[in-house]
Amino acid sequence: MSARGYFAVLWKSMSLFSLRILLLVPTGLPVHSQGDSQSDNKVMDNITVRQGETVFLRCAQGDIVTHTAWLNRSSILYAGEDKWSVDPRVSLVTLNQEEFTIKIVNVDMTDEGPYVCAVQTSSRPRTTSVHILVQVPPKIINLSRDLVVNEGSNVTLMCQASGKPEPSISWKLISPSGDLASDDEYLEIQAIPRHRAGTYECTAINEIDADVQTVDITVNYAPSVSEGRDIGVTLGQIGVMECEADAVPEADFEWYKDDRRIFNGFEGMEIENGDSLSKLTFFNVSEGDYGNYTCVALNKLGSANTSFLLYEVIEPTSSTLLQGPRAVQDGSGGVQGMHSPTCLLLLLIALLPLLLRI
Ligand SMILES: *[C@@H]1O[C@H](CO)[C@@H](O)[C@H](O)[C@H]1NC(C)=O
Ligand SMILES: *[C@@H]1O[C@H](CO)[C@@H](O)[C@H](O)[C@H]1NC(C)=O
Ligand SMILES: *[C@@H]1O[C@H](CO)[C@@H](O)[C@H](O)[C@H]1NC(C)=O
Ligand SMILES: *[C@@H]1O[C@H](CO)[C@@H](O)[C@H](O)[C@H]1NC(C)=O
Ligand SMILES: *[C@@H]1O[C@H](CO)[C@@H](O)[C@H](O)[C@H]1NC(C)=O
Ligand SMILES: *[C@@H]1O[C@H](CO)[C@@H](O)[C@H](O)[C@H]1NC(C)=O
Ligand SMILES: *[C@@H]1O[C@H](CO)[C@@H](O)[C@H](O)[C@H]1NC(C)=O
């Protein structure tokens, strides 16, 4: 029978045909176990196709075929040349004595399932069923946002992904170090310490591909400051005090002399604030500058302070040395940096001309 003639017959027998098809393929299952001696049912290998690709469904004809159709579950896609499916992605490729091939372009997840080619020959019905398996690359669909938490909080990161086969999901702390990890959608960090701040990476992976996303965790904590040092400076020299703070968010600095706040722009001094360091500089230390200074570092979580003692160092000039040991004792704080043998030596050298004159 020519394809045209066959087509005409098909139209007439359409309703009968679909009834027969439904009988042949109850609820879309492969008819393998039907045990009908009158039919010849074949199960083909599964077809695995990636989402977005095109799949060809090919069915051998042979014998004298009176009717033929491709079905998706129990709904007819093509009955012979005649398209029943309203889906534009489905089209006829070949229909002749040998084969009946249709194609589905841009395959999607919902296309997964059993497809049946039902053939009615002059002698008996025959079905060929094939299962389409759709593979989908992983895609992270639900990810925790970047977080800012206080130290000690319980933190849970979440990463959910779609894909087929179902992707496996893992978490890793990638920056600063890679030691914290979890093979789960959820990463729970109890009482988060400051060194767990950083960039966390979620990986969703299956046989096809991987999807990777990152989340940043910022851990806030109150400042701590480096221990202040006592600083000896000679009158008229430069005196510098450096106060280093560790804090998130970055600390603000305040400087006090005794209980009095001091500000940038005061005569002869300058306060320079960097990210984690504050520097108090006296360009020309005067008598009144000596004393006890306190650096306070604060952020919204708290504060810390440390004190510096700016003390006078008496330079062993001839004039001070002339006053003898008294001057050295007066600057009691000041001799700390100087070894006594050196003092004696300098004293001798300074006094030598005097001694010689006597
Ligand atoms: C085809 O795929 C279905 C569904 O995943 C599965 O049950 C069946 O065992 C597979 N058959 C073959 C021949 O691989
Ligand atoms: C196959 O049937 C399923 C379920 O009805 C449907 O979602 C899907 O779009 C169909 N695919 C084709 C290619 O007809
Ligand atoms: C993401 O996960 C949250 C918490 O489980 C849930 O409330 C939300 O509906 C999810 N969003 C999406 C798009 O799945
Ligand atoms: C953090 O989790 C632990 C254990 O589940 C719980 O005992 C603790 O109260 C939680 N801390 C906070 C701040 O929620
Ligand atoms: C430092 O201050 C003293 C006293 O005010 C002044 O005599 C001296 O010239 C100053 N030195 C410098 C380098 O500014
Ligand atoms: C400096 O001042 C701080 C704060 O007022 C105080 O705790 C510290 O004992 C003082 N140091 C000296 C050496 O006086
Ligand atoms: C400095 O810190 C101590 C406790 O460490 C606190 O008692 C004091 O009030 C602080 N001083 C300032 C000026 O913040």
Side-chain angles (χ1 to χ4, degrees), residues 28 94 111 154 173 179 267 287 290 310 320 342:
T94 312
D111 297 328
N154 292 338
L173 172 57
D179 63 337
E267 187 72 29
E287 200 71 57
Y290 294 119
L310 184 66
T320 50
T342 322

Side-chain angles (χ1 to χ4, degrees), residues 234-235 237 313-324 327-328 338 343 346-347 349-351 354:
T234 307
L235 264 182
Q237 295 297 301
V313 174
I314 308 294
E315 266 206 344
T317 60
S318 52
S319 63
T320 50
L321 287 169
L322 268 177
Q323 292 166 14
V328 176
M338 202 180 283
C343 280
L346 287 168
L347 198 64
I349 293 169
L351 292 177
L354 292 175

Side-chain angles (χ1 to χ4, degrees), residues 173-232:
L173 172 57
I174 54 165
S175 158
S177 77
D179 63 337
L180 189 69
S182 146
D183 290 326
D184 192 55
E185 287 184 3
Y186 295 93
L187 174 63
E188 288 180 24
I189 311 168
Q190 281 187 9
I192 190 167
R194 60 190 66 180
H195 68 269
R196 292 298 189 204
T199 302
Y200 288 77
E201 186 183 80
C202 170
T203 304
I205 189 164
N206 67 11
E207 286 131 61
I208 302 157
D209 206 353
D211 190 14
V212 177
Q213 303 270 336
T214 59
V215 174
D216 286 331
I217 300 184
T218 304
V219 178
N220 285 340
Y221 53 92
S224 60
V225 284
S226 55
E227 190 75 25
R229 290 184 309 114
D230 292 348
I231 292 157

Side-chain angles (χ1 to χ4, degrees), residues 128-147:
T128 304
S129 51
V130 58
H131 204 103
I132 294 182
L133 296 172
V134 181
Q135 291 188 328
V136 183
K139 185 167 164 51
I140 294 171
I141 49 169
N142 203 350
L143 183 72
S144 297
R145 292 163 177 278
D146 288 351
L147 282 177

